[in-house]
Structure formats: C-alpha cells, structure tokens
Amino acid sequence: MPAPGASRRFIGVDLGGTQLRAALVNEAGSVVRAQRVLTDRAGGPEAVVAQIEALVAEMRDDATQAIGIGIPGAFDAASGVVLGLPALPGWAGLALAARITASSGLACVLENDATAAAIGEWRAGAGRGCDHFVYVTISTGIGAGIVVDGRLLRGARGQAGEIGHCRIADASDPCSCGRIGCWEAVASGTALGRRAARVAAAHPEGTLARLAHGVPVRAAHVGTAARIGDAGALALLAEEAVWLGYGLVNIQHIYAPERIVMGGGVSQLLDLMADGIAAVVRERLLPGFPHVPIVAASLGDDSGMVGAALRASEL
Ligand SMILES: [Zn+2]
C-alpha cells in the first residue's frame, strides 16, 4: 500500500468493438502507462474478460486503488452487470465488474464509454473548468457525454446522450441501428467514408482513389486529400460540415453548453470544417444562444480510458 498522502493510481479500461485499451492513470488524469490489444471478438465475452484481466495485471502497481471500465452500451450501475453491447454480441447479463473485482481484488465500476470520455475531457482535458459541456465523438458511430449544471447526465441504465440516433435527415443510407436518417447515418466517419468511396469509384484516377490504393476509402483519406487541396475532398468535407453543424446546433439548443468538445477520428478534420460548421450555426442557432467554442478533444484517443480511471477514483 502507498504511504498516506502518496498519489493514488487507477486503471481505466476502454472496451471497444475493435480495440481494447487500458491505462494506469494518476489522480490528476495523467497516463502513467498504457497498452492496447485487438478485442478478441471471435472469442466472445470470456476471451475478452481474460484480455481485460491480463491488461489489469500488466498495468497495476502498488498504488493502484480501483478499476473503471468504459463500455459501449447499457449497464446496471449498482450491480456492474452489462445489459447489452450493440457492437459485441453475447454480453447481456455478464457481471463484469464483479468478475474483475474477483480476479484482481480491486473495486471496479462500469461507465458508458462516451460518458467516460466526457469525464476524461471534463476533469483533465478540453472541458476543464466548464459547468456545462458536451463531449461528442464522431467516429465509426456518434456518441455523446453530457455535463449540465456541473453534473454528469447519465439517465436510466446510463443510456442518456444517444444523440447519434436522433433523426436529422429525410433520407440516408441505413444507420448502424437499421433506421434511416439518424445523425450517425449522415455525419459519422462511416458516412463520410461511404460518400468518399462513391466519389473515388466515380473518379478512379482521382486523388482519393490513388490515396486509398486498393483499400476501401475512409474518412482519413478525405482528410489527407483535403490537406493537399483536392477539390473533391474539400467538397466532401463541406457536406460533412453541414451534417455536423445540424447536430451540433441541436446539442446547443437541448443542453446549452459553454463548450462542445469533439473526439473521434473525424475531430482531426475539425480545423478543415470549422468555417462550414460556423455557417450552419449562424443560420440555425436561435437568437439569444451564444456561439460556443467547438474544440477538438485534448486527450485524443485517451479520453475514454482516462475518464474511466477518474470515474474509479470516485469509489
Ligand atoms: Zn441510428
């Protein structure tokens, strides 16, 4: 055990459908060390629990007090039981927190992954000092973590903030949820990549097709092409900025944040879309609402695991 007054440390785990990440974090939210592995989807929940246990064993030290796990779905906060993860089948009913406590001897708490990322940015990142702020991640999907009146907004089963599935368009490709017109279906990195793939298919000699070089065109290729001035990529980002702007204005009308912090891969293109988003905000924001800063997450990919660790520090 650490000496009285010594810095306590916590392990934050970010359970994703593709990657499983863990970090040892101090009370200030600084990462001491971190590790990532590919989530063993094929192995199912038992294999992934074993992966989490291995990461915890690797990360922990004598000052480690507790573990927080950010999960991409619903959970029962009191019991630490997973209720369902859309991206990872077979997890419903798993007593994840109890399993990790039994194997590690450390207290463990579950948190929604977007809420965990919001905690990370609120306590140690770009949301520091705000009493009202929204973290929104624009990635494969769209999620949000919300702080209002200095408190996290979790809702029943931790499910508040599913803003990615608010309907925003009359028509779209099918959303990951199977419905049409969700914000996620038109503004996620997946949606941007899909539009870019169509442009690349129509212009096989164009910059996007050349950059992708035989692999599926993704949002990241759009960013690379736009930064070298490719007109097609800039047009794709202009359209993306409009879709993002609609959702960001909705967030401002519903939650009245002082700041919006954007994470996820698409946030790396925020500088290229700032003017387009600002134009939508000017057009649609109700009178009396201030134009709040929309900034990129300062912890980058670490927001979720840092936030999960800081959540564990409250135990
Ligand atoms: Zn949806």
Side-chain angles (χ1 to χ4, degrees):
M1 292 295 290
S7 176
R8 301 181 306 153
R9 289 174 170 176
F10 306 90
I11 292 172
V13 177
D14 187 2
L15 170 60
T18 307
Q19 281 193 9
L20 175 62
R21 310 178 68 211
L24 183 65
V25 174
N26 68 18
E27 283 178 285
S30 298
V31 173
V32 178
R33 55 176 172 266
Q35 180 68 266
R36 67 172 75 191
V37 295
L38 291 177
T39 308
D40 186 358
R41 297 172 60 96
E46 287 306 318
V48 178
V49 169
Q51 287 184 303
I52 295 171
E53 290 172 339
L55 285 169
V56 166
E58 199 175 325
M59 288 296 122
R60 71 184 297 175
D61 65 6
D62 290 346
T64 306
Q65 307 282 305
I67 301 163
I69 305 178
I71 63 166
F75 62 98
D76 181 74
S79 65
V81 172
V82 177
L83 298 176
L85 309 182
L88 291 165
W91 283 70
L94 186 84
L96 180 59
R99 288 281 298 274
I100 299 303
T101 291
S103 61
S104 67
L106 296 169
C108 179
V109 64
L110 305 187
E111 185 59 271
N112 173 273
D113 59 355
T115 304
I119 295 170
E121 290 293 331
W122 186 28
R123 302 263 307 269
R128 240 183 315 198
C130 291
D131 281 333
H132 317 279
F133 109 97
V134 174
Y135 169 87
V136 57
T137 173
I138 314 287
S139 180
T140 309
I142 293 183
I146 296 141
V147 172
V148 283
D149 300 328
R151 294 178 52 184
L152 282 161
L153 189 72
R154 288 198 176 87
R157 298 159 42 122
Q159 286 180 297
E162 283 291 0
I163 193 155
H165 301 283
C166 290
R167 184 160 181 164
I168 215 164
D170 286 336
S172 75
D173 291 318
C175 184
S176 65
C177 70
R179 295 168 182 83
I180 296 294
C182 298
W183 191 30
E184 176 171 314
V186 293
S188 63
T190 307
L192 174 59
R194 234 172 1 224
R195 288 192 293 271
R198 287 182 193 132
V199 169
H203 303 92
E205 304 304 317
T207 306
L208 280 171
R210 276 192 292 110
L211 285 171
H213 202 65
V215 303
V217 179
R218 300 190 314 275
H221 295 122
V222 182
T224 305
R227 291 196 192 283
I228 56 176
D230 179 70
L234 289 167
L236 283 164
L237 287 184
E239 183 181 359
E240 174 71 9
V242 171
W243 290 123
L244 284 177
Y246 289 157
L248 293 168
V249 168
N250 290 346
I251 286 173
Q252 292 183 54
H253 286 154
I254 297 167
Y255 301 112
E258 300 159 82
R259 189 176 302 165
I260 296 174
V261 176
M262 188 185 290
V266 173
S267 70
Q268 293 168 20
L269 312 178
L270 189 56
D271 61 311
L272 293 164
M273 297 186 287
D275 290 348
I277 291 170
V280 176
V281 172
R282 271 196 305 276
E283 177 198 322
R284 297 199 59 89
L285 197 65
L286 289 173
F289 276 79
H291 287 235
V292 304
I294 299 167
V295 302
S298 65
L299 302 180
D301 286 349
D302 291 351
S303 312
M305 54 186 189
V306 168
L310 292 173
R311 172 72 185 87
S313 76
E314 298 168 355
L315 293 175

